[in-house]
Amino acid sequence: MNLDSKIPEGPLSQKWTNYKTNQKLVNPANKRKLDIIVVGTGLAGSSAAASLGALGFHVDIFCLQDSPRRAHSIAAQGGINAAKNYQNDGDSVMRLFRDTVKGGDYRAREANVYRLAEVSGGIIDQCVAQGVPFARDYSGMLDNRSFGGAQVSRTFYARGQTGQQLLLGAYGALSREIARGTVTMHTRCEMMELVVEPDGQGVPRACGIIVRDLVTGALRRFAAHAVVVATGGYGNVYYLSTNAMNSNVSAAWACHRQGALFANPCYVQIHPTCIPVHGDYQSKLTLMSESLRNDGRIWVPRRKEDAEAIRAGRKGPGDIAEADRDYYLERRYPAFGNLVPRDVASRAAKERCDAGYGVGTGLAVYLDFRDAIRRLGRDVVEQKYGNLFQMYQKITDTDPYREPMMIYPAVHYTMGGLWVDYELQTTIPGLFAAGEANFSDHGANRLGASALMQGLADGYFVLPYTLQNYLADRIYAEKPRCDTPAFDAAEQRVRQKMERLLSVGKSADGHPVDYYHKALGKVMWEYCGMSRSEESLVEADRQVCELEADFHRHVIIPGTADEMNPELEKACHLADYFELARLIIADARQRKESCGGHFRVESQTADGETLRDDGHFMYVAAWEYQGAGHPEVMHTEPLHYEEIQIATRNYK
């Protein structure tokens, strides 16, 4: 398969301008005749639907929740990057572009990343116009703070609620289009299947979806000229993650089963600042914003006996003298200190804990604001991080103004996803993927505050152009219909999947869905988590296959498909997670190098840093589905850099 990325000709700084100059257009009268489906109402989905509706297209948008305001984008805390250079500290579009490619360990597509940096400033202007209450400095200018992987302050924020405020801005724009009648909202609906049908020339194209009404259980059909999937990432394959419990990969995986390639699934981001696991019955983890690393200092005791005393309860953090504290990030990476990228900070925390210096349960390090409070005063710290401190205190019953926070890495974001070209179109014509659902912009590691940037860039500034370029040729095609054999077959596939899961016998040795999901998550975290080896990956594959077989023989799912049935929903998601888990493992096995969030213990420098193999792995790995139970076929898209000088990442 030839993966055509469709990168425009010309200098890097002119590619997006050249694309927009030469794109095909649809006149206003014809836009009203064209239907678009958007799946997902997070930042990428809501901004795309609002923008496309404002252009005059008719949009059907679908969400799992009872309101778009409950999308998981609301959980993002720290901020959104943009190259505005308000601080006059040397930032620029080119610097943001270079930081992003470097942060991704030189495994991102250069042209897409440059476009992301190029449109970043417009995102802030758009959101300010929508009334997003970004923080401002004393003079009234928009304020910025620094984030990991950068030496400039380019992150715009609204205390620790940036995702919520940005989503409310996008929701307002979406609500306007709903009121105008250009967008139709469908809540409490889940996409179950993608419908692909040959056009008049025999080219298979995305023409609609099958959804399940989560309240009644009824299956419904929707046809359109194009489909946009914006349903987020797949971090919940690990069970314990910072994702919402109903975040899942099933919509994207349905597209994958119908022919859309899935790229770089082994690129999973571990976030360094999460509240540690506190019990066996925990269902998710809570993120503490990376912005806390601006003023908080990360440390562990310098002496093992002090760490042991803390774990035993004989000492507290206040009993450790300054000289006996190891600020290990500042020691190892003096140029960036506590603001190294997430993958670097996560591995450093794991190394200290594995060596016996961890606190709490042994799987935690301290994030300490003592010095910041002395330097700035409690009022300033409270103004910047107050709601985050409140959240930490409610969860842990510890006052972070008096004692350091305890943090440990956890699964957070996924850089892999559906393969898309420069237009954000998958290998299925008419099927587009936006935000975390695609793979395009972050390489092997996402810099903090770039998820919100990518989601809004895709929705507000990319898809309105690229979708129009695709749809310009579809005004001559027959309007898609729901009563075709392709829709019949797609609905039948959905029914058969649910019937297979519900037909499993209720044996005495059976288990509920969560039992299998927890077990899968433990296997993936233990053997394919922050570090991987050939030995651990082989063991992971063996255990996942055994667990999957047991799941399909013994899972217990009460109820029926024709009613509200959350257990059936979870079982459908988990069936997809088992297939994805095996693909993550296969992708990790073939990539015999370390880069970003993918760390192979066989491939590291003498001081424990990632060791890339540019001669053999400078590519995107895109996998083609071959049917249930069959190994997938890997295709590659070579990565070429025009403006970036490839180098070993160095944050020292």
Side-chain angles (χ1 to χ4, degrees), residues 580-647:
L580 172 59
R582 286 189 277 110
L583 184 61
I584 293 172
I585 294 165
D587 191 41
R589 288 189 68 184
Q590 68 81 26
R591 190 170 286 278
K592 299 181 187 299
E593 65 163 354
S594 292
C595 55
H598 169 63
F599 188 77
R600 289 286 297 258
V601 297
E602 305 95 334
S603 184
Q604 57 181 303
T605 64
D607 53 354
E609 304 296 340
T610 56
L611 183 62
R612 298 195 318 268
D613 183 351
D614 295 334
H616 294 95
F617 298 102
M618 184 68 80
Y619 58 68
V620 175
W623 296 84
E624 182 180 7
Y625 191 74
Q626 299 296 304
H630 297 281
E632 300 207 12
V633 174
M634 187 182 77
H635 306 275
T636 60
E637 176 200 344
L639 292 172
H640 304 288
Y641 293 99
E642 301 173 14
E643 296 290 337
I644 289 290
Q645 183 176 352
I646 300 170

Side-chain angles (χ1 to χ4, degrees), residues 65 126 175 177 238 255 266 271 273 347 390 421 468 490 538 541 552-553 573 588 596 636 651:
Q65 303 86 359
Q126 172 94 352
S175 298
E177 298 310 314
Y238 288 82
C255 299
C266 75
H271 198 292
T273 53
R347 283 192 297 273
Q390 290 170 5
D421 58 23
Q468 195 168 180
V538 169
D541 190 60
H552 284 292
R553 286 195 302 264
H573 300 160
T636 60
Y651 294 98

Side-chain angles (χ1 to χ4, degrees), residues 299-316 320 324 352-353 355-362 364 366:
W299 64 277
V300 292
R302 192 178 296 276
R303 300 185 302 178
K304 280 189 179 181
E305 52 265 35
D306 285 337
E308 292 168 356
I310 289 174
R311 293 196 294 269
R314 298 192 303 272
K315 286 186 177 182
I320 309 301
D324 295 327
R352 288 289 81 193
C353 291
Y357 296 92
V359 298
T361 63
Y366 286 130

Side-chain angles (χ1 to χ4, degrees), residues 24 76 109 118 129 175 197 280 404 417 423 488 562 568 620 643:
K24 300 172 185 176
R109 187 189 290 150
E118 185 180 2
S175 298
E197 194 169 25
D280 292 336
E423 297 182 310
D488 294 340
D562 300 321
L568 176 59
V620 175
E643 296 290 337

